[in-house]
């Protein structure tokens, strides 16, 4: 590490963490349910790519109208079935969708490798905040079960993570956005809006990130640090 890097590491910063697919795996469980759902649909003319495009369109609209979480996801699956079959879902079909989605309810919160150790180290030098979006009850359950909530000075569950959300966070905690870092896996929710609000950002890609959270990042933006794994944060902070 360079001398500048050592100095930067020793300076206390505000580090804001995303939760789903940054601290623990989340979307991979939804993807497994989608895979089972598309197999069950067994559409006579559309292939899986076309079926997924229909579902993505429905999820995109429902995210705007109803937010995020497993309840909205189940709604999207039901609407997808009804659109493809051009009729209301039967009771048996709705029960089958519920059965397919049992994994969402039973999924245990398991931290990604290195997260617990890294947070323990980072919390000794920096102020840690947590910012997650989604259904409040569902997200709170994950936070309560994660085992690392004690490291964070505050944890906020919001409906959407846009530039105004980050400006609100700055006002709420009274920190200088230019010395704060948003850390997450989503270009759409974690990186771009944080940068628009004047924060720095750390992008830690997750191959299972929801397709609707993808967006283009500016490769020349020196306010975005790109890391391969969560534990790499210790080399920079």
């Amino acid at each position: 590490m360079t001398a500048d890097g050592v100095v930067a590491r020793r300076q206390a910063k505000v580090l804001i963490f995303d939760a789903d697919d940054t601290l623990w795996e989340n979307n991979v469980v939804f993807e497994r349910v989608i895979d089972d759902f598309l197999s069950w649909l067994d559409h006579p003319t559309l292939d899986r790519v076309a079926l997924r495009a229909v579902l993505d369109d429905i999820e995109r609209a429902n995210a705007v109208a109803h937010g995020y979480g497993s309840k909205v996801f189940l709604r999207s699956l039901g609407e997808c079935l009804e659109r493809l079959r051009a009729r209301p879902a039967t009771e048996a079909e709705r029960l089958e969708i519920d059965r397919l989605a049992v994994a969402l309810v039973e999924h245990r919160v398991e931290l990604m490798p290195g997260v617990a150790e890294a947070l323990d180290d980072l919390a000794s030098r920096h102020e840690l905040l947590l910012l997650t979006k989604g259904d409040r009850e569902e997200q709170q359950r994950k936070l309560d079960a994660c085992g690392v909530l004690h490291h964070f000075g505050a944890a906020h569950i919001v409906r959407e993570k846009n530039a105004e959300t980050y400006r609100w966070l700055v006002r709420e905690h009274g920190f200088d956005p230019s010395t704060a870092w948003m850390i997450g896996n989503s270009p759409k929710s974690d990186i771009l809006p944080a940068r628009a609000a004047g924060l720095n950002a750390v992008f830690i890609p997750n191959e299972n990130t929801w397709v609707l959270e993808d967006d283009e990042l500016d490769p020349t933006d020196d306010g975005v640090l790109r890391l391969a794994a969560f534990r790499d944060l210790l080399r920079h902070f």
Side-chain angles (χ1 to χ4, degrees), residues 41-158:
L41 278 177
D42 191 26
H43 198 275
T45 59
L46 299 180
D47 62 16
R48 296 178 77 87
V49 173
L51 291 173
R52 182 58 188 265
V54 173
L55 179 58
D56 286 347
D57 285 343
I58 292 171
E59 286 200 280
R60 187 177 292 108
N62 278 337
V64 173
H66 306 291
Y68 304 91
S70 59
K71 294 177 183 177
V72 179
F73 176 67
L74 289 177
R75 179 190 188 114
S76 295
L77 293 184
E79 290 180 7
C80 183
L81 181 144
E82 292 179 345
R83 181 180 300 183
L84 291 168
R85 296 187 175 171
R87 59 166 175 77
T90 66
E91 182 64 22
E93 288 169 336
R94 291 195 176 279
L95 288 174
E96 180 61 19
I97 290 174
D98 289 343
R99 187 194 67 78
L100 288 171
V102 164
L104 297 175
V105 178
E106 295 183 344
H107 176 58
R108 293 173 56 195
V109 175
E110 296 184 8
L111 298 178
M112 292 185 184
V115 165
E117 297 81 2
L119 288 178
D120 188 53
D121 194 338
L122 292 169
S124 69
R125 296 189 299 280
H126 306 288
E127 179 183 355
L128 308 189
L129 302 175
L130 193 148
L131 183 67
T132 182
K133 70 178 183 180
D135 178 81
R136 179 167 296 277
E137 181 179 341
E138 187 171 348
Q139 293 304 99
Q140 189 63 55
R141 178 188 63 78
K142 296 177 189 177
L143 296 181
D144 292 340
C146 71
V148 293
L149 193 56
H150 62 284
H151 287 310
F152 299 95
H156 298 286
I157 301 170
V158 296

